[in-house]
Amino acid sequence: MQSNQPFQYNGASRSSGEKRIKETKPAPAKPFSKGKELENIAAETLRQIIDAVDDTLVLEKINAFQKQQFLSQANRTLEMVIEEYGCTLSQSEKQKVMKYVADEVFGYGPINPLIHDPTVSEIMVNGCRQVYVERDGRIEKTDINFRDDAHVLNTIDKILAPLGKKIDHNSPMVDARLPDGSRVNAIIPPLAVKGPTLTIRKFAADPFTSDDLITFGTMSREMARFLKSCVRARVNILVSGGTGSGKTTTLNVLSSFVPDRERIVTIEDAAELQLRQEHVVTLESRPPNIEGKGYISIRDLVINSLRMRPDRIIVGEVRGGEALDMLQAMNTGHDGSISTLHANNPRDTLARLETMVLMAGMDLPLRAIREQISSAVDLIVHQSRMMDGSRKIVNITEVVGMEGDTITMQDIFIYDQTGFNEKGYVTGNHRATGIIPKCIEKLNACGERVPMDVFEGKNIHAPFRRY
């Protein structure tokens, strides 16, 4: 139980390896555009506050009462700095300074408001002078700046420290996540020529459901009904699409259809899936340490997961040799596996899968690889990001089998784009192709009854809302 003792600037303790506040000591800052004097006051206030904090204090672990005590002391420090400068500040200007101080000490600096802004889906920091965000599928530049490259690096370090990761010249790239599950990628010089680059892809605090995707027009109700039955009947599914097309969101929705009684093992580079089931084991790959040792790949985790008695294996993204092990798992009793990969269309999905199997280093003939794929993969859900920024499932394609050396496929549902409306939003319809999927027999055998009218070739109006 946390103590409600008044906050003190010294006398706190921390365990080995925890971050000290003095490691984040800033250079003079420029948090505001209004007046050099206000900029200097904000920087000096932060400097004096951090200089006063004991070296051993871990501000991230103080409770709410202690935090209020800290902010009260910070207010007094601000008044002293104002007196030293011999000037006066309005109440709103004082609030700006205090917000800047709080964001630097307790948050992620200048981008802290963006992280807590529910309308922002992605934050892109291109060096210290450019911060872009994505809202409603469209990218826009903000007026937010960092002081310098060191300030950006400090923010990156603050994100990585709780995860036990670091970034430096020996390891200039890193994938990480925020406490809310948001995906983080950072890359620094010399690889990033124009300065440290930080990309944060945010996820909804409350994960989207199939009803949400229907409302957004990502898929139709008939498509959702079919996909739910496929997941429950343990059909192997690949979710494909380009960067930012919504693959992970769709993977989350599909995963939510898995019955609670089943044991799920998830495998990711950075854990970001938001599964609601209770029996979930989350595995995360590990980069090499500074000595180049300790690397644990996605492939290692896929192999290990087979010994963990999984009912379902969900791989966040397949991008290398682990594709072979995943196909082997699908073909040896681990039905109902789900994964994502980058591809331009369903046919390209299979071509990329072939390439990734070859990356495993096995000297397999192409026909053998294609037979493995056609036997393992049942369904491809292909998703696209449209011109207006909206995400649509544009194909639900079934892998039927082999004809000669070619894998045969058939579209069950497609999206027909008809144009744009007066607001510039994409218009179109999801529709069934009229083909009855081959896997309907498996669905029926598992007790998943899908009405045949779901597959009738009718147009289904898609709303204009986006996520």
Side-chain angles (χ1 to χ4, degrees):
M1 183 174 180
Q2 288 184 315
S3 168
N4 279 344
Q5 293 297 317
F7 178 85
Q8 300 293 329
Y9 272 114
N10 46 37
S13 63
R14 72 183 182 102
S15 61
S16 175
E18 289 177 335
K19 185 170 51 146
R20 300 184 183 188
I21 185 62
K22 285 211 172 183
E23 291 174 0
T24 65
K25 181 175 179 180
K30 295 182 180 181
F32 312 114
S33 60
K34 180 186 175 183
K36 188 71 174 176
E37 190 173 67
L38 191 60
E39 297 173 4
N40 291 338
I41 289 173
E44 180 62 20
T45 301
L46 183 61
R47 186 191 66 78
Q48 289 195 21
I49 289 171
I50 292 180
D51 278 347
V53 174
D54 186 85
D55 242 3
T56 61
L57 184 63
V58 183
L59 287 175
E60 291 87 344
K61 293 193 175 182
I62 67 176
N63 60 31
F65 179 78
Q66 292 171 324
K67 182 177 180 179
Q68 188 57 47
Q69 292 290 320
F70 175 88
L71 293 176
S72 296
Q73 180 61 45
N75 264 311
R76 292 192 287 272
T77 302
L78 173 59
E79 295 297 337
M80 288 188 293
V81 172
I82 291 173
E83 187 175 345
E84 289 174 7
Y85 273 74
C87 64
T88 59
L89 295 183
S90 67
Q91 190 61 32
S92 64
E93 290 171 333
K94 290 180 181 178
Q95 289 174 352
K96 283 184 178 180
V97 173
M98 288 306 300
K99 185 176 186 311
Y100 172 78
V101 170
D103 286 345
E104 285 291 336
V105 175
F106 298 109
Y108 300 102
I111 62 171
N112 201 57
L114 300 178
I115 290 174
H116 294 94
D117 185 345
T119 68
V120 173
S121 57
E122 194 138 10
I123 303 167
M124 294 152 277
V125 179
N126 306 335
C128 61
R129 296 300 175 195
Q130 286 186 346
V131 178
Y132 289 85
V133 297
E134 180 188 78
R135 284 190 176 94
D136 292 330
R138 297 181 179 179
I139 295 176
E140 58 188 57
K141 188 177 182 180
T142 71
D143 57 0
I144 293 174
N145 290 325
F146 286 79
R147 293 187 301 270
D148 48 33
D149 286 350
H151 193 192
V152 182
L153 285 170
N154 174 64
T155 299
I156 294 172
D157 287 338
K158 199 164 189 179
I159 293 170
L160 300 180
L163 303 175
K165 296 184 177 183
K166 65 178 181 178
I167 191 167
D168 53 30
H169 286 285
N170 294 316
S171 302
M173 298 184 297
V174 68
D175 287 315
R177 66 182 183 276
L178 294 178
D180 65 359
S182 297
R183 181 195 306 171
V184 178
N185 175 269
I187 182 167
I188 64 173
L191 302 187
V193 178
K194 294 185 178 180
T197 301
L198 176 66
T199 308
I200 301 174
R201 179 168 296 175
K202 295 170 57 180
F203 295 98
D206 187 20
F208 288 135
T209 64
S210 58
D211 287 338
D212 291 323
L213 297 195
I214 292 168
T215 302
F216 296 145
T218 302
M219 62 181 171
S220 68
R221 194 166 300 278
E222 288 78 5
M223 294 164 71
R225 185 170 186 175
F226 173 63
L227 290 174
K228 181 176 182 179
S229 294
C230 286
V231 172
R232 294 180 65 86
R234 305 179 68 86
V235 169
N236 293 322
I237 301 174
L238 289 180
V239 181
S240 63
T243 300
S245 61
K247 297 186 299 297
T248 302
T249 299
T250 298
L251 180 60
N252 266 319
V253 170
L254 295 179
S255 301
S256 70
F257 298 145
V258 177
D260 291 333
R261 65 180 179 274
E262 297 187 14
R263 174 177 171 87
I264 305 170
V265 178
T266 68
I267 302 169
E268 303 171 84
D269 271 328
E272 59 191 17
L273 291 174
Q274 299 170 293
L275 273 62
R276 298 184 178 184
Q277 291 87 342
E278 182 178 356
H279 199 170
V280 178
V281 179
T282 302
L283 305 181
E284 187 178 65
S285 65
R286 186 177 70 184
N289 60 22
I290 194 170
E291 298 174 349
K293 299 178 180 179
Y295 174 56
I296 304 296
S297 68
I298 292 289
R299 186 176 187 187
D300 295 329
L301 296 178
V302 170
I303 294 172
N304 186 80
S305 71
L306 302 178
R307 307 185 185 103
M308 298 175 67
R309 201 269 177 210
D311 288 311
R312 307 277 183 144
I313 299 174
I314 298 176
V315 182
E317 183 180 343
V318 179
R319 57 166 65 95
E322 65 271 10
L324 175 60
D325 302 292
M326 188 185 71
L327 291 177
Q328 296 280 20
M330 290 177 174
N331 279 322
T332 54
H334 295 90
D335 292 337
S337 298
I338 313 173
S339 185
T340 73
L341 58 82
H342 284 78
N344 296 323
N345 53 61
R347 176 60 63 182
D348 187 48
T349 299
L350 299 183
R352 285 216 65 226
L353 202 54
E354 290 176 17
T355 303
M356 289 187 286
V357 169
L358 292 171
M359 291 170 65
M362 304 291 289
D363 188 16
L364 296 172
L366 195 56
R367 181 177 175 82
I369 295 174
R370 290 178 178 174
E371 287 176 345
Q372 286 278 313
I373 293 173
S374 66
S375 176
V377 179
D378 298 309
L379 213 61
I380 297 172
V381 178
H382 186 73
Q383 193 148 338
S384 289
R385 179 178 173 140
M386 314 305 283
M387 292 293 292
D388 63 353
S390 63
R391 284 86 166 176
K392 307 283 186 187
I393 293 178
V394 295
N395 295 90
I396 296 181
T397 304
E398 184 180 33
V399 178
V400 179
M402 293 278 293
E403 286 187 5
D405 290 337
T406 303
I407 300 175
T408 57
M409 309 164 67
Q410 59 186 13
D411 287 330
I412 309 302
F413 294 92
I414 61 174
Y415 178 76
D416 289 327
Q417 181 178 336
T418 56
F420 298 86
N421 67 6
E422 64 279 1
K423 295 183 179 179
Y425 294 162
V426 167
T427 60
N429 302 285
H430 288 105
R431 67 175 179 89
T433 61
I435 296 175
I436 305 300
K438 180 182 175 182
C439 65
I440 198 70
E441 297 174 4
K442 184 173 184 178
L443 270 58
N444 291 334
C446 294
E448 294 295 326
R449 305 294 180 184
V450 180
M452 290 300 103
D453 60 2
V454 167
F455 306 111
E456 293 178 359
K458 59 182 179 180
N459 289 338
I460 306 150
H461 176 66
F464 297 137
R465 286 188 60 190
R466 299 173 291 166
Y467 76 89

